[in-house]
Amino acid sequence: MKILLYCPDNGVTRNFMPHLWMFLLKSLTPPGHEVFLIDGNTQPMNDAQLIRFVRKENIELVGIGAMTRMIARAYRVADAIRAAGVRVVMGGPHVTEVPDEALGRDGGARHADAIALGEADETWPVIVEDAARGQLKEVYAPLDEAGKERKPSLGGYPLIRWDQMDLRQFNRIPGVARPLMSMLNTGWETFHLIPIESGRGCPYGCEFCTVTGFFGDSIRFRSNQSIIDELLLLKAAAKASQGKIAVFFVDDNFAINVKRTKSLLRDMIAAGAQTSWVAQISANLLRDEELVDLIAESGGKWIFIGMESLDPANLADVNKSFNKPADYAAVLERLAKRNVYAITSFIFGLDNDQVGVADRTLEEIRKWPPGLPVFGQITPFPATPLYDRLLKEGRLTRPKHWLDFAPFHMAHTPKKMSIAQVETEVDHAWRCSYDPARTSQALDSIRDEPVPYKISHLIARLFFRGIYFPQRGAWSWVKTVAAHKHLIAGLFREARARGLKGKPGSRLEFERAAPFSAQAAAPAPPEL
């Protein structure tokens, strides 16, 4: 049987990182079946193009995984595929929390022939075999003998054969930028950001987050050796293709068990498995000097930190009091001293926020080492404590906001601001953080660092601005490059002045020194 695993875009924003679930389920597919992968974010297709592909390849089963922000697009794609006579299985966090919606049991249209609830490690092989026999059930759930939900162990984690996968669609360097990278002799004409997980689950239970509800509050880890085997395979594949790779550890809190994380990082170093990587880690865990030393030594380049707010009252409201805003600056300095930088995430529209929250936040950010700030408004995802609270308080303005996806538009009424005011604050924060002048200031703050660091930082900032200012197609990238031409030209002159081909500033130095050019990604869980 031929199977397509499809990850939709939402038609508006883009994910910069491939979602792990596609690669994991491909590895878990029983022998005798052929699996194709398409990520709509990196290989855009309209419905007609996708249907032509399905028919050309004689696809018999399509698996669609989607988070809430993608679900409207996922439903439209599923409808088109089912109309063409091909069976569709849907899964992921949204389908798990709102299962009746996908099956049309809530009064709406039916979008899927079957759904997979929760983590699909154990149910996916069953789904495939049932489909092959023509006996597909409506609902698949990982249940034990007593009918209770069972979380799969990660002890027997499959080896994902990255060396046998065609990753060309996932090259993150835009075509328009590749000639520039070639001129700078960086070796970054191709770059793949590879998702790997080392564990699942989070005990924190932040009010707005879906992670604890989906993965549970108990942490399950893969063995260190299985992770190292995967990293070594990736490094060998990259060397063979002469391409660049970096790893995104998609764990929702990579260092949630500091002792275990140190053990993994030490083993990575001992095995020569270091590669550039990025991960999510809470600020409170980054007070540990030894942990930060190991992060840097093992190849850590960017750390995503969900700061959310500078106001302790806001953090307490959303059950995130373990964040201490007074510690933020010291944490970021600790990372920067080791040439590790931060992707800092902020949420506006929390119940204690007032007009001016953007400027107050930006004022603090300017005191910190240069990083990649991202901003959004508080969003009530279904089945989260936040959603339930706002529903009870009668504050939801768009109870099914995901069916009419509108990025950076609120779905409930804030307490101390209007919806329009929150959206203005978000817009202001993005514009001030990613205009050419601010990017110039950020580069000037690391003027004493090697050229490769500055090139990498510039590339990262150009990608991150695309989260809010979409950069789709060659023309939008040409305009982006033109707006930053003076910075690019200056770095080009500096690189040329320092010499190429093995001399300082060359590709060899870049390979030794450069942090990877990170791209924003909301890590996706390994579900269908």
Side-chain angles (χ1 to χ4, degrees):
M1 184 171 63
K2 290 188 174 182
I3 302 167
L4 170 64
L5 298 177
Y6 180 78
C7 182
D9 67 346
N10 55 31
V12 183
T13 60
R14 295 180 66 185
N15 297 309
F16 292 106
M17 183 185 70
H19 286 267
L20 176 62
W21 71 266
M22 294 190 300
F23 305 103
L24 180 55
L25 293 193
K26 179 180 173 71
S27 301
L28 291 168
T29 301
H33 304 283
E34 186 176 2
V35 180
F36 298 82
L37 305 179
I38 294 179
D39 188 330
N41 299 280
T42 57
Q43 190 173 340
M45 290 184 176
N46 59 34
D47 290 351
Q49 291 170 326
L50 186 58
I51 296 305
R52 281 198 295 271
F53 176 87
V54 167
R55 286 174 171 160
K56 176 185 175 184
E57 298 296 339
N58 296 315
I59 301 295
E60 298 176 67
L61 180 69
V62 177
I64 300 177
M67 300 171 78
T68 296
R69 69 178 182 272
M70 314 167 188
I71 200 66
R73 171 67 175 160
Y75 287 156
R76 291 194 293 271
V77 169
D79 293 345
I81 292 171
R82 294 182 74 232
V86 179
R87 294 165 296 176
V88 171
V89 182
M90 299 189 75
H94 185 89
V95 169
T96 296
E97 302 299 350
V98 194
D100 288 346
E101 193 173 77
L103 293 174
R105 294 175 177 173
D106 63 346
R110 180 169 183 151
H111 306 291
D113 296 280
I115 59 173
L117 305 181
E119 301 169 53
D121 307 58
E122 297 177 356
T123 54
W124 175 246
V126 178
I127 291 170
V128 171
E129 297 296 4
D130 283 357
R133 292 193 303 267
Q135 298 176 356
L136 197 63
K137 301 180 181 68
E138 276 196 335
V139 179
Y140 291 84
L143 304 177
D144 61 19
E145 292 75 10
K148 295 182 179 180
E149 182 183 13
R150 177 173 56 207
K151 298 295 184 184
S153 167
L154 303 186
Y157 202 86
L159 180 63
I160 299 177
R161 294 307 305 261
W162 298 103
D163 57 327
Q164 297 177 5
M165 294 189 188
D166 183 357
L167 297 176
R168 285 177 293 179
Q169 68 168 296
F170 303 109
N171 182 12
R172 299 313 310 158
I173 302 298
V176 70
R178 291 170 197 167
L180 173 65
M181 302 307 291
S182 180
M183 290 171 62
L184 291 173
N185 199 37
T186 64
W188 285 71
E189 294 86 353
T190 63
F191 171 64
H192 294 99
L193 183 57
I194 304 297
I196 292 179
E197 65 177 337
S198 77
R200 300 179 194 170
C202 181
Y204 285 157
C206 300
E207 186 188 40
F208 54 80
C209 187
T210 63
V211 171
T212 302
F214 188 84
F215 285 121
D217 57 8
S218 296
I219 313 302
R220 292 158 287 146
F221 294 117
R222 293 172 61 183
S223 69
N224 288 0
Q225 190 59 53
S226 75
I227 298 166
I228 289 166
D229 289 344
E230 192 168 347
L231 291 171
L232 292 174
L233 187 66
L234 275 171
K235 290 187 72 172
K239 184 177 181 180
S241 66
Q242 297 184 328
K244 299 295 182 188
I245 64 161
V247 165
F248 195 122
F249 285 108
V250 300
D251 306 38
D252 292 282
N253 202 331
F254 181 64
I256 191 66
N257 183 319
V258 173
K259 181 179 179 180
R260 180 264 177 182
T261 304
K262 289 179 180 180
S263 170
L264 172 61
L265 298 180
R266 290 191 192 102
D267 286 354
M268 285 170 55
I269 295 164
Q274 304 100 314
T275 187
S276 296
W277 59 265
V278 60
Q280 300 180 104
I281 301 177
S282 297
N284 60 305
L285 302 174
L286 293 167
R287 302 170 186 153
D288 189 310
E289 294 279 352
E290 184 184 28
L291 173 64
V292 179
D293 282 338
L294 289 168
I295 286 171
E297 189 177 352
S298 63
K301 302 302 181 185
W302 291 92
I303 301 299
F304 183 100
I305 304 175
M307 292 181 166
E308 322 311 359
S309 177
L310 299 176
D311 186 338
N314 272 333
L315 296 170
D317 284 345
V318 296
N319 197 33
K320 199 162 184 175
S321 292
F322 56 85
N323 265 17
K324 306 296 181 185
D327 294 343
Y328 290 169
V331 165
L332 299 182
E333 290 286 353
R334 186 174 298 117
L335 292 170
K337 286 178 181 177
R338 297 161 173 85
N339 286 317
V340 181
Y341 294 93
I343 304 162
T344 52
S345 174
F346 296 92
I347 298 173
F348 295 161
L350 295 165
D351 282 350
N352 204 47
D353 279 343
Q354 301 184 50
V355 172
V357 62
D359 279 330
R360 290 189 291 273
T361 304
L362 292 169
E363 183 179 356
E364 287 299 309
I365 290 175
R366 293 185 188 108
K367 301 174 184 177
W368 300 340
L372 302 170
V374 295
F375 308 91
Q377 77 290 324
I378 185 71
T379 302
F381 292 111
T384 60
L386 174 65
Y387 189 96
D388 295 342
R389 175 169 67 84
L390 294 174
L391 179 64
K392 183 178 180 180
E393 293 174 0
R395 294 169 59 191
L396 293 176
T397 56
R398 295 190 294 142
K400 290 195 172 184
H401 56 86
W402 50 87
L403 296 181
D404 182 25
F405 179 77
F408 304 103
H409 291 285
M410 293 196 73
H412 74 278
T413 304
K415 277 191 173 180
K416 298 182 179 180
M417 303 171 68
S418 68
I419 290 176
Q421 287 172 331
V422 173
E423 293 172 358
T424 297
E425 296 286 330
V426 172
D427 182 81
H428 178 62
W430 276 103
R431 292 184 185 280
C432 289
S433 295
Y434 288 94
D435 66 9
R438 176 56 189 154
T439 297
S440 179
Q441 292 170 0
L443 291 175
D444 186 62
S445 71
I446 55 173
R447 58 185 175 276
D448 296 329
E449 297 294 342
V451 176
Y453 283 106
K454 290 180 277 190
I455 292 173
S456 179
H457 194 89
L458 174 61
I459 295 170
R461 291 186 70 84
L462 295 184
F463 272 108
F464 265 72
R465 76 179 296 280
I467 299 171
Y468 189 79
F469 306 100
Q471 295 160 173
R472 289 177 176 263
W475 180 238
S476 62
W477 271 105
V478 167
K479 290 192 293 185
T480 298
V481 170
H484 297 81
K485 61 184 179 182
H486 66 292
L487 296 175
I488 295 170
L491 288 175
F492 179 73
R493 287 193 298 269
E494 187 175 354
R496 294 281 294 182
R498 296 184 62 180
L500 300 176
K501 297 184 179 178
K503 298 178 182 179
S506 71
R507 177 178 301 203
L508 293 180
E509 181 182 340
F510 195 98
E511 290 175 349
R512 290 195 301 268
F516 90 91
S517 301
Q519 293 133 38
E527 78 291 335
L528 173 62

